[in-house]
């Protein structure tokens, strides 16, 4: 049986050969001739890599993915090609790595040199050659870190135990080691921060109390170190607050760890905007209301250089204060809070107490309505004039020494007149409310038209008589007593005429006097 030759089917599926690896970049692209620097090789086709070479020298490496390898540089010199070899071949892109004569970093100190086994301690590394640092290790464990400068790194200690060597690896290699000891000391505990607030500008000295504070190596207000601090004892630290804003936790760090946080509030500076009333007596004692902003926590209110007798913080925008005594004239009000000091220049005026010296006339009718003139000093800002407890019907301040007032109705007898200003209430001067005079008898009740005779009036309330009228004509008179007047009858035409008596209390009801003409012949 003949067998014909079989021709392969070109359409049948064939296995695909793996792609040759390609190197696209190396980072960093340079490093120390001593080698030992970690670099990242980026490209394609890295799966199954069997070799990474720097020039002809192989390096240790780890395949992270098909596109990334981490390799540790071997020692070398000059500029060399970096290649990756896989079962599919060796890359041929001309990606280079330059060996430079960079000195390895030198580590001189680690502060603090100990910390809790749990890690988390902020450690400051000082030395040289830190620029470009790639790794900080505590023993074999990498730590998070920040390169502050070529001579300083801040690192956060990882968890650990015992004493380990801290090292820094940079482009020039790995530094010498400086020991760091993991301790089992308990973290400090804070119980109070006094005062608990201060100005945003900082500068406030605060006292921290707690336990385990003796070995403190840092005090922080939030993330900011205290401007300075002094360990007084295992239970006390004094610290100067740095500048800040808002409310932040205050913490203490020792080799045993970092304490709990106690709140400290940065206060805005107070602002005074008003005072009501804006004046008061030189004797003080009156209550004034201060308005503004950021008044919470006020520690002092002063009138000029004198502290308020007392004050109460009502809200962040209001304080009530009792004014102290002070000399007449304007003073500046000042409010002090943990956030600073605010002043209102010449915003409060001390006013002298008014003084009354006289009232004219000194008496008047029970019905009031008459006008009197008050004289004295410090009357210019009068707010009230009172007759006893009754306000004047009206008053006008004529000058600092004179007021005219309309007398209100009152009861018979004396009443104290007082004037009230922002400086207080004056001394009293006496005003007499007089009932109207009453005439009950006139003896004789007739006489010659030529006058010349004496009349006797009897009645009540006659002692203050200012006038006696006979038929409208003023007559001379003498006050004998409150119930008797002697009157000189004036001449006039014959006929009946009204006789009245006028006093500050009013005019009496009339009685009749008859003038009799001479008999005719």
């Amino acid at each position: 049986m003949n067998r014909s030759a079989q021709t392969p089917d070109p359409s049948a599926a064939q296995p695909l050969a793996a792609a040759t690896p390609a190197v696209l970049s190396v980072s960093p692209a340079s490093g120390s001739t001593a080698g030992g620097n970690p670099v990242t090789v980026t490209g394609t086709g890295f799966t199954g890599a069997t070799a990474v070479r720097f020039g002809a020298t192989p390096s240790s490496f780890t395949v992270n993915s098909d596109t990334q390898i981490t390799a540790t540089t071997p020692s070398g010199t000059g500029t060399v090609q970096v290649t990756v070899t896989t079962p599919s071949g060796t890359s041929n892109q001309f990606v280079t790595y330059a060996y430079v004569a960079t000195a390895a970093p030198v580590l001189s100190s680690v502060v603090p040199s100990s910390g809790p086994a749990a890690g988390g301690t902020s450690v400051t590394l000082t030395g040289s050659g830190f620029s470009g640092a790639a790794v900080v290790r505590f023993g074999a464990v990498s730590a998070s870190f920040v390169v502050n400068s070529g001579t300083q790194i801040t690192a956060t200690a990882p968890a650990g135990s015992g004493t380990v060597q801290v090292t820094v690896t940079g482009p020039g290699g790995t530094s010498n080691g400086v020991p760091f000891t993991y301790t089992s000391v308990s973290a400090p505990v804070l119980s109070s921060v006094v005062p608990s607030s201060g100005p945003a500008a900082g500068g406030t000295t605060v006292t921290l109390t707690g336990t385990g504070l003796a070995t403190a190596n840092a005090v922080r207000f939030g993330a900011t170190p205290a401007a300075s601090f002094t360990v007084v004892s295992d239970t006390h630290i004094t610290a100067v607050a740095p500048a800040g804003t808002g409310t932040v936790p205050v913490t203490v760090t020792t080799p045993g760890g970092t304490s709990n946080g106690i709140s400290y509030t940065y206060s805005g500076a107070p602002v005074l905007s008003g005072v009501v009333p804006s004046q008061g007596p030189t004797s003080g004692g009156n209550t004034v209301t201060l308005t503004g902003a950021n008044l919470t926590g006020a520690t002092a209110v002063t009138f000029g250089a004198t502290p308020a007798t007392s004050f109460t913080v009502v809200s962040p925008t209001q304080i009530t204060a009792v004014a102290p005594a002070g000399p007449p004239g304007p003073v500046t009000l000042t409010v002090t809070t943990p956030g600073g000091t605010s002043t209102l220049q010449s915003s409060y005026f001390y006013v002298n107490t008014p003084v009354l010296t006289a009232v004219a006339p000194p008496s008047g009718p029970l019905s009031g309505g008459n006008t009197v003139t008050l004289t004295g000093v410090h009357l210019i800002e009068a707010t009230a004039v009172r007759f006893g407890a009754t306000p004047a019907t009206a008053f006008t301040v004529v000058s600092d020494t004179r007021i005219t007032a309309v007398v209100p109705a009152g009861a018979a007898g004396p009443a104290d007149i007082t004037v009230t200003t922002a400086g207080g209430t004056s001394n009293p001067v006496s005003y007499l409310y007089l009932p109207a005079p009453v005439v009950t008898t006139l003896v004789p009740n007739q006489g010659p038209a030529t006058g010349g005779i004496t009349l006797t009036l009897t009645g009540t309330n006659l002692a203050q008589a200012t006038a006696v009228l006979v038929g409208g004509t003023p007559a001379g008179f003498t006050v004998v007593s409150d119930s008797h007047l002697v009157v000189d009858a004036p001449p006039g035409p014959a006929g009946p005429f009204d006789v009245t008596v006028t006093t500050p209390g009013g005019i009496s009801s009339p009685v009749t006097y008859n003038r009799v003409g001479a008999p005719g012949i």
Side-chain angles (χ1 to χ4, degrees), residues 173-206:
T174 300
S175 72
N176 58 300
V178 173
F180 179 86
T181 301
Y182 285 100
T183 66
S184 58
V185 179
S186 298
V189 176
L190 277 183
S191 56
S192 68
V193 173
V194 178
S196 60
S197 60
T204 302
T205 298
V206 299

Side-chain angles (χ1 to χ4, degrees), residues 122-336:
S122 179
V123 179
T124 300
L125 285 60
T126 56
S128 62
F130 291 166
S131 296
V135 180
V136 172
R137 291 185 177 90
F138 283 65
V141 182
S142 295
S144 61
F145 66 95
V146 174
V147 178
N148 303 321
S149 68
T151 60
Q152 187 181 84
I153 291 175
T154 301
T156 301
S161 61
T163 298
V164 298
Q165 296 296 310
V166 179
T167 59
V168 177
T169 298
T174 300
S175 72
N176 58 300
V178 173
F180 179 86
T181 301
Y182 285 100
T183 66
S184 58
V185 179
S186 298
V189 176
L190 277 183
S191 56
S192 68
V193 173
V194 178
S196 60
S197 60
T204 302
T205 298
V206 299
T207 299
L208 287 60
T209 56
T211 57
L213 308 181
T215 56
N217 50 53
V219 175
R220 290 182 174 84
F221 287 68
T224 307
S228 64
F229 69 92
T230 301
V231 176
V232 179
S233 68
D234 193 56
T235 59
H236 286 82
I237 290 176
T238 59
V240 177
T245 58
T247 298
V248 298
V250 178
T251 57
V252 173
T253 299
T254 69
T258 298
S259 72
N260 57 302
I262 298 290
S263 292
Y264 180 86
T265 300
Y266 285 100
S267 304
V271 177
L272 272 182
S273 57
V275 54
V276 176
S278 60
Q279 54 186 9
T282 55
S283 60
N286 55 309
T287 298
V288 299
T289 298
L290 310 177
T291 54
N294 301 325
L295 304 181
T296 299
T299 56
V301 175
T302 57
F303 288 66
T306 307
T309 302
S310 64
F311 67 91
T312 300
V313 178
V314 179
S315 71
T317 61
Q318 188 179 97
I319 292 175
T320 58
V322 177
V331 295
T332 295
L333 289 183
T334 303
V335 171
T336 301

Side-chain angles (χ1 to χ4, degrees), residues 272 275 330-334 342-348:
L272 272 182
V275 54
V331 295
T332 295
L333 289 183
T334 303
S342 179
T343 59
L344 273 182
Q345 295 292 327
S346 302
S347 55
Y348 185 81

